[in-house]
Amino acid sequence: MPSTHDWINDPFGVVEGMFAASQSDPNSGWEARAVEFFKDRLKEKDAHTLVPSLNDIPMHYLKPNSLVKFRCFIQDMFDPEFYMGVYETVDPATQAKTLRCGKYKDVTECGVDFNSKNTVTAERQTFYCVPIPGENPWVKERYANSSQARVVPSTSYVPSRQKRSYEEDDDMDDMDTQPQKQREAHAGPQSPTEHHGNGDCKRQETEAPSSQTTSASHLDLNFPLPGEKGPSCLVKVYKDWDSFKLNDMLEVYGILSVSPALSALADEKDASSSLVDPTECMETAEEQRVHCPPASLVPRLHMLYAKQLQHNNPLLPSAATSEDNSAFLASTLSEMPSVREELLAYLTHVLLGDALAAEYLILHLISNVYVRRDVLPLGKFTLNMSGCPTVASYTERLYQIIQQLVPSSHYLGMSLQNMNQMRLVPKKDYVANRLVSGALQLAKNTSLYLDETQLEQGQLDTTGVRNVTALGNLISWQKVDYDFNYHQMEFPCNINVLIASEGRSLLPSDCQIHLQTQVAPSHLEEYLSTMHMLSQASSQLNKFRIYLSVARLLDYSISDEVTKSVEDDFVDMRKDDPQSISAEDLHRMLVVARLLSLSQGQTSLSRDSWLRAKHIEALRRSRMEQHKCVNGNEP
Amino acid sequence: MSSPASTPGGRKRGRNTNPPTRKFPTCSNLLGQDSSTGDLMPMPTSPATDVLSPAAPQDTSLLSSPRPSVPPNEVDMSSPLMYGTPMRGTPARQRPDLGSVRKAPQVDLHSEPPSTDGAVASESNAGQRLVIWGTDVNVGTCKEKFQRFLQRFVDPTSTEDENAGLDLNEPLYMQKLEEISVVGDPVMNVNCRHVQSFDADLYRQLICYPQEVIPTFDMAVNELFFERFPDSFLEYQIQVRPYNALKTKSMRSLNPEDIDQLITISGMVIRTSQLIPEMQEAFFQCQVCAYSTRVEVDRGRIAEPAVCRHCNTTHSLALIHNRSVFSDKQMIKIQESPEDMPAGQTPHTTIVYAHNDLVDKVQPGDRVNITGIYRAVPMRVNPRQSNVKSVYKTHIDAIHFRKTDEKRLHGLDEEAEQKLFTEDRVQTLKELAAKPDVYERLSSALAPSIYEHEDIKKGILLQLFGGTRKDFSQTGRGNFRAEVNILLCGDPGTSKSQLLQYVYNLVPRGQYTSGKGSSAVGLTAYVMKDPETRQLVLQTGALVLSDNGICCIDEFDKMSDNTRSVLHEVMEQQTLSIAKAGIICQLNARTAVLAAANPVESQWNPKKTTIENIQLPHTLLSRFDLIFLMLDPQDEAYDRRLAHHLVSLYYQTEEQMEEEFLDMAVLKDYIAYARTYINPRLSEEASQALIEAYVDMRKIGSGRGMVSAYPRQLESLIRLAEAHAKVRFSEKVETIDVEEAKRLHREALKQSATDPRTGFVDISILTTGMSATARKRKEEVAQALKKLIQAKGKTPAMKYQQLLDDLRGQSETAITKELFDEALRALADEDYLTVTGKTVRLLA
């Protein structure tokens, strides 16, 4: 048995050992056994924390051909490719033939015998993966901290825990600058082409582009959100690739391949494309760039094992085994009501003393599309928070608070310029043969914060109208129609949309709550400055973070008795005043009741929760009456 | 263009593997008589076992030793067997679609391994025992079999449009040969399915070794052709193009086992490259003695002769481009059609190479079935590097294109061929159809998340099935509309949009638009200048795209009048006429329209008629077969059921729901099957029942001096009855179908055409926009007003407001301002008075 050090640093040793052993016994199924081996290893306690992560550690500190992990998001799926699964090499000196395994590799060894009868062609699939879009800094930091990977760098790297740059945190900065410098030094002595590539990479990583237009760099890494950082990766999948879907969150364990030969091969092509060799001149340069970017910039990761992530909250167990998870759930369940109280108090404070709005905000934050009935997504709870003060950039501060609470989120200022210029919907680029990402290509349970207070009067152009329609579709049906030029393709999604607006939003929403501030506008500035202080109490924050993620994972049911009483209630309400309550209202009340129960850690609906849901709905509606203003956008 | 001088080292190494001294005499010898007989002599790329890297031998640049099993002299294949009979000077044309020009060594099946039988190949009498190396194909037998197939194959049941005009009881392909002799287009398309039904073994060989078998077919067909039509002249020899290989694959299921096999896949063209000239034969001339030689391209490489054979000078030969032979080539990218794709994944793309006359046959956006040979080539190797990328490039060499959407020009019935149902599936569907309550079952399976509205769902179900198409173009009326149009109107939040979304997701060719966001051109078609070609291109809109499908239009009331007006033609004539920017055409838009509209006052006003509530022009409304109101019934039992339904949505698991309702896929198949295979006709009784129903409807109205039915309603009834028969999978429309159509029609009418003042059903609300009573009332008011004015005596001008107040004071019923205005207008029409601003002047 190879030691721990071996299977992480030299996974090929394991793979090739098994391959060699299988030669005597053709039916040994060595491929399955190899995957099994790594799976077992990773199951061992804390073993997965020993594997270095591409998310935290700059690529040049990682050993090529070592086992790494990558927490990522499938942005695009390329075409399947055929490769030499097994091939034979001939030693030029001795003419001795050796069988070799081509699995998990990009490049073959010297002297391939192309006419060997022992060559086996196999198929694999390539996914283009990027870090999870909108992942908040605290998540990245936390994941990085939990890693125990001992990176043995080729350069003078001190194995301190590596952090991604973190804009707001000052004390983090000096830690971050050190590897930056090293990176520069590292890039120095390389060949001009390499240097060029690396320089680009650096620009991508260090500058957070403030403008919406992604940099015109020819190596656009195609992140869904502008200003994202981190490596992107071509993940090669060897089996069951049909089980992965676009926009899935994965934790991939695989063998890192950064062979410079890959980029060298790509360079060669530009130089010497010839008439008789048709395959080269057919592919556009763009396609080359996208599908074979320099390995120094976009490494290849040969997947051994991948875990679909239910959430990307580092504070929760990563749901490797369901037993662990349920135990964890049970322990937190009892604490939930008390945490909820604290969170409610905190959010009430944040929402300028409006407890009802805080209540609804909690419900929104734990909402989740849990099932779809034909076209109808159930469980979505888009909240429109109207009456947001426009002074002291309140909406942005509110977003910063939310950012501290949820694992991934994105702030979309709905300014006219943004709406007219941004690409929200992903679009297929047939020239480069890839899916050009858009801001609505988000992983599940991402919080999308739409700031409508930024919208001013003016003209929406065609793009603007299309973007607004896309947002409307997202909210109503939880789907995004990706643009495939000749047709559209519908991709279901699960995004929590929160709209902050002054009046009623122009977008549809499941629920609108008008903010009633208890703070006089003159004191707002002062109030807000104190508010921000509170967010630094980190253990408190962690409790909130766990609470919000757990509430979303809970199961939920309604007993027959409660069903009955809900039905009776509905009939009674209709009897009193049929105009006041419609099927739509019942839908919403059922969602509110569900979320309310879950927020209290109850997995089934109780009579009390139902009454409470009715009560807060009534409160909200009465408040709506006061602020009723018809703006012509009613459905 | 790389001249031979710049040939990388790898190529030179490769060249050494074919000793030039042996190869060249053959080549020049061959070329003397025929420019490219080589194409008749295929070469296997793969040994019989598929898994053994079939593509590897295609690249020789790394090959440092000769192919082990095939000695170089084997390549010299001047077997008379391979040349067939000389075709009276008709040149053979190269077939780059079958791979690079190579010679196929034959091996004796029963003798020693191939390495020892160099002599056998040239003995034609041994032909019967020869097979092409790496395959089990015997050229002689294969040729014979194919000739027999051509001479004998008859398919009396053929429905393909390719065979239109042929006598189906005569050998099909002999007729095609005759056609070739007349038309002079030397291409013979062969349906693989025919080959299979004729000789399964031949078919298997064709699929597995297309590169060897197709040239054999070529030979066979040419021999036959020139035997039959010795005097005909063709530009080049006939080429056989098989299509419709049964091993039809979706792009997703292609795997390494398909390499070098004949496959048919379907997809959509997304990009085509420019024409690429590909060298087939290089012409070299010696710089010293002007001796010239030709070298054929072998596996993508040219073996540059190092020594001039004439003067023995080394490295004296130069490539002469002008005299080299090139063929056309085009790269086409195809993408999976959206229907074939699993949810949540992105479509795959595949590269297709088209050669010679197949170049520019397809355009981006076309749906095509491509038959071709699947290839895999190793990535180009860098001669300066010893290790290689271990990935192959795959592509398809196209042999045949068949556009799938082109057929829609010819007729409608062929849609059937697209969707194939397995026997099991048909059986399940038929069983389902036999159930007495199939109609109810299906309607409840429709949008299960939407509660009740049974009749509306039934209406939509009938819309999904549609009526029978009738063609009256002989008698001058053209096609009758077979599609059922439905309008849903009602209070906001009654899940109209949800129904629309559901239907849009259910039908294969559905389009969903919102009235708010669509413009007239978005619905119809517009002319655009293509940025690349600078050509005017017709871009089709939602209505044309949903031809043979359903166009769902939400927010119908919010559509601008301009936009709505284009619907008039579509909804009755089912065509769309375009005349702009030099493009004048009529497009088919045989689409059913499912529209949803909200009342003008956001809440339905029961005191008003449908027209008044939704403010749509009655010309448009009368084109809807069924107009449903989706209103809150406001009844306790309903509320309870609704509440139960909704609550259950929130706690039942997915599986529980599945059990209760029919699967959406079954429903889809059911509809597709019925739409394609069932064409019900009216039975005698049914026609009688329809006549009665129509007469009854007319009678109801005539009793009260109103017309309650128009021929359009009769047509609607027929369509609905036919659709209902389709639901039952019945070829005959029977009385029960008519009954249901009547019932549904009455239900819809009851809801939408009830005169709120009298409570009677009055179709004239929909056809003229005003109920008969309302018209009567208008006349009365006008008369009263006239009397009032006359009573006032000689006042040439009156104040508008004053007159209104007076009339209100006089009348016992309430007079609205609108009513008053209408009365004034009526009087103005009589030239009794004129209204200018706020004053009313009498004209005398």
Side-chain angles (χ1 to χ4, degrees), chain A residues 248-399:
Chain A
D248 273 355
M249 282 192 287
L250 299 178
E251 186 159 55
V252 180
Y253 290 86
I255 300 174
L256 182 73
S257 160
V258 284
S259 167
L262 282 170
S263 7
L265 284 178
D267 286 344
E268 280 305 317
K269 278 186 185 127
D270 299 333
S272 64
S273 65
S274 63
L275 178 80
V276 280
D277 218 342
T279 40
E280 270 77 40
C281 45
M282 298 292 181
E283 291 217 324
T284 55
E286 288 91 338
E287 191 167 346
Q288 273 299 335
R289 261 180 231 138
V290 169
H291 290 262
C292 305
S296 55
L297 185 56
V298 181
R300 316 298 195 262
L301 191 58
H302 295 268
M303 181 193 287
L304 282 165
Y305 165 62
K307 196 158 63 181
Q308 307 239 5
L309 293 179
Q310 292 302 314
H311 61 85
N312 57 334
N313 189 339
L315 303 166
L316 260 59
S318 54
T321 50
S322 51
E323 301 93 64
D324 283 5
N325 215 10
S326 58
F328 178 80
L329 283 183
S331 69
T332 46
L333 218 55
S334 52
E335 289 175 25
M336 281 181 79
S338 65
V339 180
R340 184 190 142 89
E341 283 313 307
E342 288 167 41
L343 181 59
L344 188 65
Y346 175 54
L347 287 180
T348 309
H349 181 70
V350 168
L351 293 174
L352 312 175
D354 187 342
L356 185 65
E359 185 104 34
Y360 271 95
L361 186 58
I362 294 179
L363 300 187
H364 164 77
L365 289 175
I366 61 169
S367 69
N368 175 33
V369 178
Y370 63 98
V371 75
R372 278 169 199 271
R373 294 272 179 256
D374 39 72
V375 291
L376 186 73
L378 293 179
K380 73 189 171 84
F381 195 67
T382 304
L383 189 63
N384 174 13
M385 201 172 284
S386 58
C388 289
T390 46
V391 287
S393 55
Y394 175 73
T395 48
E396 276 132 58
R397 295 207 187 195
L398 180 60
Y399 172 69

Side-chain angles (χ1 to χ4, degrees), chain A residues 79 82 84 106 108 114-115 117 244 246 268 272 277 280 282 287 371 373-375 430 567-568 571, chain B residues 52 56 63 270 276 333 335 344-345 349 380 382 387-388 390 392 449 505 636 640 644 650 652 654:
Chain A
D79 294 330
F82 294 171
M84 287 179 240
D106 285 308
T108 58
F114 282 95
N115 298 317
K117 285 196 171 182
F244 298 103
L246 201 71
E268 280 305 317
S272 64
D277 218 342
E280 270 77 40
M282 298 292 181
E287 191 167 346
V371 75
R373 294 272 179 256
D374 39 72
V375 291
Y430 284 115
E567 283 168 35
D568 289 341
V571 173
Chain B
L52 296 180
L63 192 70
I270 51 168
I276 302 156
K333 273 218 157 144
Q335 181 186 286
Q345 308 221 332
T349 55
R380 206 177 87 89
N382 185 343
N387 43 6
V388 202
S390 63
Y392 295 100
S449 67
N505 281 311
E636 192 182 318
R640 181 167 297 278
H644 182 77
Y650 282 85
Q652 274 186 344
E654 193 104 33

Side-chain angles (χ1 to χ4, degrees), chain B residues 380-446:
Chain B
R380 206 177 87 89
V381 181
N382 185 343
R384 269 164 287 175
Q385 265 179 330
S386 45
N387 43 6
V388 202
K389 235 177 141 175
S390 63
V391 176
Y392 295 100
K393 285 226 164 238
T394 54
H395 70 263
I396 296 170
D397 276 323
I399 292 179
H400 187 272
F401 285 121
R402 188 184 167 96
K403 286 190 203 176
T404 48
D405 47 2
E406 187 188 46
K407 287 192 270 180
R408 282 168 55 199
L409 294 175
H410 302 315
L412 294 150
D413 315 315
E414 279 103 325
E415 212 188 337
E417 319 227 338
Q418 290 307 304
K419 184 123 185 151
L420 291 169
F421 297 97
T422 59
E423 303 238 328
D424 289 357
R425 197 63 166 184
V426 173
Q427 199 56 40
T428 353
L429 294 180
K430 284 196 171 148
E431 270 167 29
L432 189 62
K435 292 195 171 129
D437 61 340
V438 59
Y439 182 51
E440 280 74 26
R441 265 167 191 266
L442 291 181
S443 70
S444 66
L446 206 69

Side-chain angles (χ1 to χ4, degrees), chain B residues 45 50 144 157 259 394 550 608 654 766:
Chain B
T45 49
D50 296 312
E144 213 170 274
T157 56
I259 292 174
T394 54
I550 292 184
K608 288 185 168 181
E654 193 104 33
L766 299 182

Side-chain angles (χ1 to χ4, degrees), chain B residues 192-375:
Chain B
C192 294
R193 205 162 293 197
H194 294 165
V195 180
Q196 191 192 28
S197 63
F198 189 82
D199 185 338
D201 193 47
L202 188 65
Y203 170 76
R204 183 191 55 77
Q205 288 184 340
L206 173 64
I207 295 298
C208 296
Y209 314 109
Q211 199 164 324
E212 292 77 35
V213 172
I214 294 173
T216 319
F217 281 9
D218 279 354
M219 265 194 291
V221 79
N222 279 306
E223 276 176 26
L224 206 62
F225 180 80
F226 287 102
E227 208 172 280
R228 286 216 148 202
F229 311 99
D231 303 327
S232 59
F233 172 77
L234 292 181
E235 199 188 332
Y236 51 91
Q237 291 183 11
I238 299 173
Q239 298 191 344
V240 173
R241 301 228 168 112
Y243 66 95
N244 204 2
L246 274 193
K247 203 174 179 180
T248 303
K249 292 264 182 180
S250 78
M251 221 174 279
R252 211 158 270 272
S253 57
L254 286 175
N255 62 37
E257 284 178 21
D258 296 315
I259 292 174
D260 283 328
Q261 303 218 339
L262 191 70
I263 52 163
T264 300
I265 61 167
S266 63
M268 190 171 66
V269 179
I270 51 168
R271 237 160 64 80
T272 55
S273 76
Q274 297 198 318
L275 194 145
I276 302 156
E278 190 183 39
M279 191 179 277
Q280 289 297 324
E281 196 179 88
F283 185 93
F284 289 100
Q285 195 166 38
C286 176
Q287 306 282 48
V288 180
C289 64
Y291 170 80
S292 66
T293 182
R294 288 164 192 265
V295 181
E296 284 173 45
V297 172
D298 187 12
R299 297 161 222 171
R301 311 261 169 208
I302 299 168
E304 182 204 351
V307 185
C308 172
R309 286 203 332 105
H310 195 250
C311 58
N312 281 332
T313 325
T314 48
H315 303 295
S316 66
L317 290 155
L319 182 72
I320 312 288
H321 282 284
N322 288 351
R323 298 183 64 183
S324 301
V325 179
F326 293 90
S327 71
D328 294 347
K329 179 169 177 176
Q330 185 180 33
M331 183 194 76
I332 296 163
K333 273 218 157 144
I334 60 169
Q335 181 186 286
E336 273 179 301
S337 7
E339 300 90 66
D340 299 346
M341 290 193 32
Q345 308 221 332
T346 57
H348 287 175
T349 55
T350 304
I351 298 173
V352 174
Y353 291 134
H355 303 272
N356 291 332
D357 57 329
L358 289 181
V359 167
D360 273 342
K361 270 279 166 66
V362 291
Q363 300 294 323
D366 286 347
R367 301 282 179 97
V368 289
N369 278 332
I370 292 177
T371 306
I373 304 174
Y374 195 43
R375 307 274 193 197

